[in-house]
Amino acid sequence: MLTRLGFPRVGEHRRFVAAIVADTVGSGLFMPITLLYFLAMTDLSLVQIGSALSLSALLTMPGAFVIGSLVDRFGPRQMMLAGNLLQAVGMVAYLWADALVAVALWTALLNLGRQSFWGSFGNVVTAISAPGERELWFGFLQAVRNLGYSVGGVLAGVALQVGTDGAFQSVVVVNAVTFVVAFVLLLDVPDHRVARADDAPVEGWAVVLRDGPYLRLVLGQFGFVAGMMVLNFALPVYAAENIDLPGWVVGAIFTLNTALVGLGQGLVVRRMTGRVRARMMGLAQVVFVASYAMFVVAGWLPVWLAVVVMLVGAAVYTGGELAGGPVFSATAAEAAPDHLRGRYLGLFQLSWGIGGAVTPVAYTWLLARGETTLWWVLALVALASAAYLQTLPRVLPAAAARVTDRSPQEDRSEVE
């Protein structure tokens, strides 16, 4: 059953959806001010903070392999619960993190928790959705996540405007509490563990790592990951530091992004229905390039006009997220065999881990080289990625499939 915004009806999955909201409210509160928090609360420089975040991501990248195996063995719910607890502990520890090593180590713990939670997420979504509805469900939950980010983004803007140590510390405490709330909500969620026969052959990472077509999908997602990291690690610093826009603009950008995803994700998925998945992946990259051009132009304008152009650019940027997110996720989930989906999606999640390792230090370094350097580099990466993704349908049937391959009559009957 679909709602009029093109989303599936939640039904028995309310607690799972509510847990996603709780988790993302806190994350949406802290993500926009991650770099700014450490600039305010420590004596570290911007490059040192970026290096600490990148170091933590490098330390935890191998965790994707371990977590993928654990998801297949213990089920995704158990790993999501563990992920919430790890993130709560790591966030509280930020209150006392005032050195590069401390920031890196506690961020590593947070990264492991995030890997556990989101490395299990796709397994649950695949279990509760039917073939032909995967983009609808991934799109819906992306919208739900952005609803949480939107609420957090508003509060982040308030914290930036207040600008006191107490305001920044309150952000950390609220984020930790939301992880605990998500943990409680997930306690009653079904485990969705895949049952296997006792005599089934034992398969592991060797099978996954020999799957050449799937590895090409993982490689092809790096361009999209680079674009998605812009919102967290580039735009806040670029807007607040490089072109000296008011602090509230950072919160406004996040709020606009999340509101557009919340309202528009289902409609965009329906608009993409029947299109080849690989083409929609490439389109997302092209839309990102258009937004980068607008961010460059904003740096040349008076403050009031720069604010307008940045917000319009953020809306265009969101279009790339709306087009790419559900399609990449659905393709990765459907291309994986049921009994190894934890490992396959763990490998797919690794691209996000590598992105988290590279982009903080890379983006801060590029921003330090000038106002426009970062955007030209990202534009080249996105265009190369878009071209590469068009080769996937030749080797990966899931990438050649069409988005939400459902008949119009079926959709109309479900709305009625």
Side-chain angles (χ1 to χ4, degrees):
M1 297 291 288
L2 302 180
T3 66
R4 295 204 176 270
L5 286 178
F7 291 136
R9 298 194 182 279
V10 174
E12 61 183 327
H13 309 300
R14 288 187 181 88
R15 291 181 68 88
F16 174 67
V17 174
I20 300 299
V21 173
D23 184 277
T24 52
V25 165
S27 297
L29 175 59
F30 188 74
M31 281 183 181
I33 65 170
T34 301
L35 295 174
L36 301 177
Y37 171 82
F38 290 116
L39 282 174
M41 302 300 295
T42 72
D43 294 326
L44 300 175
S45 69
L46 181 61
V47 173
Q48 285 177 316
I49 296 167
S51 299
L53 298 179
S54 292
L55 174 62
S56 67
L58 285 170
L59 290 172
T60 53
M61 270 195 293
F65 295 96
V66 177
I67 289 167
S69 300
L70 293 176
V71 170
D72 287 333
R73 181 175 179 180
F74 297 109
R77 183 179 67 93
Q78 294 294 101
M79 297 308 298
M80 294 183 87
L81 289 170
N84 279 127
L85 290 181
L86 290 175
Q87 290 180 93
V89 172
M91 189 55 57
V92 170
Y94 269 172
L95 295 171
W96 294 276
D98 57 2
L100 189 149
V101 173
V103 171
L105 290 178
W106 290 120
T107 303
L109 184 66
L110 275 164
N111 288 344
L112 286 174
R114 192 173 298 115
Q115 286 177 340
S116 296
F117 189 88
W118 296 113
S120 308
F121 170 79
N123 292 266
V124 177
V125 178
T126 306
I128 66 178
S129 60
E133 296 181 350
R134 298 274 155 70
E135 280 92 357
L136 292 171
W137 269 97
F138 277 110
F140 165 62
L141 289 167
Q142 179 65 25
V144 167
R145 291 168 64 180
N146 276 267
L147 173 63
Y149 290 141
S150 181
V151 174
V154 172
L155 297 175
V158 173
L160 282 177
Q161 282 296 103
V162 175
T164 64
D165 289 356
F168 282 114
Q169 290 168 339
S170 296
V171 167
V172 170
V173 172
V174 171
N175 196 2
V177 170
T178 60
F179 290 134
V180 175
V181 171
F183 174 88
V184 173
L185 288 168
L186 286 170
L187 288 173
D188 292 333
V189 171
D191 200 19
H192 299 295
R193 193 183 314 183
V194 176
R196 297 197 65 195
D198 293 336
D199 58 350
V202 177
E203 295 177 307
W205 277 105
V207 174
V208 182
L209 297 176
R210 286 198 300 264
D211 192 335
Y214 199 87
L215 293 177
R216 290 182 62 172
L217 172 64
V218 174
L219 178 62
Q221 194 194 208
F222 277 109
F224 183 70
V225 170
M228 291 294 290
M229 293 291 175
V230 164
L231 189 65
N232 294 333
F233 297 116
L235 278 183
V237 177
Y238 178 72
E241 303 287 334
N242 286 62
I243 59 176
D244 294 321
L245 297 183
W248 62 265
V249 174
V250 174
I253 288 172
F254 274 79
T255 301
L256 176 64
N257 169 267
T258 52
L260 288 175
V261 173
L263 294 172
Q265 183 67 87
L267 300 176
V268 170
V269 169
R270 288 174 71 88
R271 180 66 177 169
M272 292 191 297
T273 295
R275 306 295 200 280
V276 175
R277 283 173 170 170
R279 291 179 182 173
M280 295 301 98
M281 295 176 191
L283 176 64
Q285 310 298 317
V286 175
V287 175
F288 279 155
V289 172
S291 72
Y292 302 155
M294 300 190 74
F295 299 149
V296 170
V297 171
W300 303 335
L301 300 173
V303 171
W304 70 270
L305 189 54
V307 169
V308 173
V309 173
M310 285 295 292
L311 292 176
V312 174
V316 174
Y317 169 91
T318 303
E321 179 181 351
L322 292 172
V327 179
F328 274 104
S329 297
T331 303
E334 290 189 358
D338 291 344
H339 66 290
L340 290 175
R341 186 167 286 118
R343 290 176 172 84
Y344 269 82
L345 293 185
L347 180 63
F348 188 72
Q349 191 72 15
L350 183 62
S351 61
W352 292 95
I354 294 174
V358 173
T359 55
V361 67
Y363 289 0
T364 52
W365 185 85
L366 288 169
L367 285 168
R369 306 276 78 78
E371 290 183 2
T372 63
T373 304
L374 170 67
W375 306 116
W376 296 121
V377 171
L378 284 173
L380 290 174
V381 170
L383 292 174
S385 175
Y388 175 80
L389 287 164
Q390 304 317 299
T391 68
L392 279 181
R394 293 200 289 261
V395 296
L396 190 69
R402 297 182 182 272
V403 176
T404 56
D405 193 10
R406 304 158 57 87
S407 68
Q409 293 81 5
E410 183 181 358
D411 285 343
R412 282 198 297 269
S413 66
E414 289 188 344
V415 171
E416 295 169 359

